[in-house]
Amino acid sequence: MSLETPAAPAASLPVLETEQDILTKARRATSRRKRNTWLLRLALVVVWLGSWEVTATYWIDPFFYSKPSRIWERLTEWVTSGTDFGSLWYQLWVTVEEALVGFAIGAVAGVIFGVILGRSQYLADVLAPFIKAANAVPRIVLASLFVIWFGLGLASKVATVVVLVFFVVFFNAFTGAREVDRNLIDNARILGAGRMQVIKAIVLPSATSWILSSLHTAFGFALIGAVVGEYAGSKAGIGFLISNAQGTFDSAGIYAAMIIITVVALVAEWGIGNLENRLLRWRPSMSTSSQTVI
C-alpha cells in the first residue's frame, strides 16, 4: 500500500488585464452608453408625437392644435412646392442672413465693450446704470421702433438681433475679463508689457471660455431677434411665414416654421461647439464620469 499523498492541484494564476483590454472595455462602455442615450431620446420623441397624433385625432380639435401628420404635410409642401410667398429656401435665407449679420456685429461689440469695462473699474461704475437700464427695455418694443426707423428691410431686423446678442456676450466678456488672475497681469507689467499687450496676451485668452460659452446662447437669441423683427413687420422670412400662418389660422404652418428654426439653431449649436473645442484644446479635459450629457 503506497503512503504517497496525491499532489494538490496547482492554484490557477489570475489573468491580468492589459492596458489595451482596459481601453477596449472603456470604448465599448462609452459606445453602449451613447447608443442607449439615443435610443431613449428616440423613444421619448416617438411617444410624444404618437400621443399628440392620437389626442388630436380623437379628443381635441386639430384645427387649433394641429397634429404631427399635418405638420409633416405642410413641411413637405413647403420643401417641394414652396410657400405662398416664394421658395422656402429664400425665406430661410432671409432669416439666416439677418441672424448672421446681427450676430457678428453684436458679438464683436459685446466682446470689445465687455473687455474694456471689465478692465476699467471707473468706466464700469459710470456706465453701469445705463447698461442695466438698456438691458431692461423690452426687445419687442425695440423691434417695433426699428421697423419705424429703418423700414421693413434688412436693417431693422439686424438692429433687433444686435440688441439681443450684444448684452448676452457683453456680460460674459465683462465677467471673463474681471476673473483674470491678477498675479499674471502684475507679472506681465513687471516684464514691461503695455495695456494692449496685457489685453491681447492675457485677458482675451483667459476670457475666451466665457465668451465662447455665451455664443451658444447668443446665436439662439439672434434667430429669435430675426423672427421677432420679421413678425413685427417684414416682406419675407420665417417670421413673416409665422405671421401669415397666424392670420390664416394655419397652426400646422406655425409649427412647421418653428421646426425649421429649431433645426437651424441645432446646426449652429453644433458648429459653435466644434469651434469651441478647437479653440480651447489647451484646457484640461474633464473626466468622463464628471461630464453631464445634455
Side-chain angles (χ1 to χ4, degrees), residues 209-239:
S209 59
W210 288 85
I211 295 170
L212 289 177
S213 65
S214 71
L215 297 183
H216 292 277
T217 305
F219 193 81
F221 275 100
L223 288 173
I224 293 172
V227 172
V228 168
E230 291 168 353
Y231 190 85
S234 64
K235 299 177 182 178
I238 300 300

Side-chain angles (χ1 to χ4, degrees), residues 70-91:
R70 290 191 178 182
I71 298 170
W72 176 254
E73 291 175 1
R74 180 68 71 248
L75 282 172
T76 304
E77 176 189 345
W78 283 358
V79 171
T80 57
S81 304
T83 69
D84 294 335
F85 306 96
S87 169
L88 172 64
W89 310 115
Y90 170 73
Q91 308 295 332

Side-chain angles (χ1 to χ4, degrees), residues 52 61-78 82-85 88 231 238-260:
W52 183 5
D61 189 350
F63 177 80
F64 296 104
Y65 300 98
S66 191
K67 56 183 180 179
S69 59
R70 290 191 178 182
I71 298 170
W72 176 254
E73 291 175 1
R74 180 68 71 248
L75 282 172
T76 304
E77 176 189 345
W78 283 358
T83 69
D84 294 335
F85 306 96
L88 172 64
Y231 190 85
I238 300 300
F240 175 70
L241 294 181
I242 294 175
S243 177
N244 179 74
Q246 180 192 14
T248 57
F249 294 94
D250 181 14
S251 57
I254 296 175
Y255 282 115
M258 290 169 57
I259 291 173
I260 293 170

Side-chain angles (χ1 to χ4, degrees), residues 45-63:
V45 171
V46 170
V47 171
W48 170 48
L49 294 179
S51 60
W52 183 5
E53 181 76 20
V54 172
T55 303
T57 301
Y58 297 102
W59 290 292
I60 62 177
D61 189 350
F63 177 80

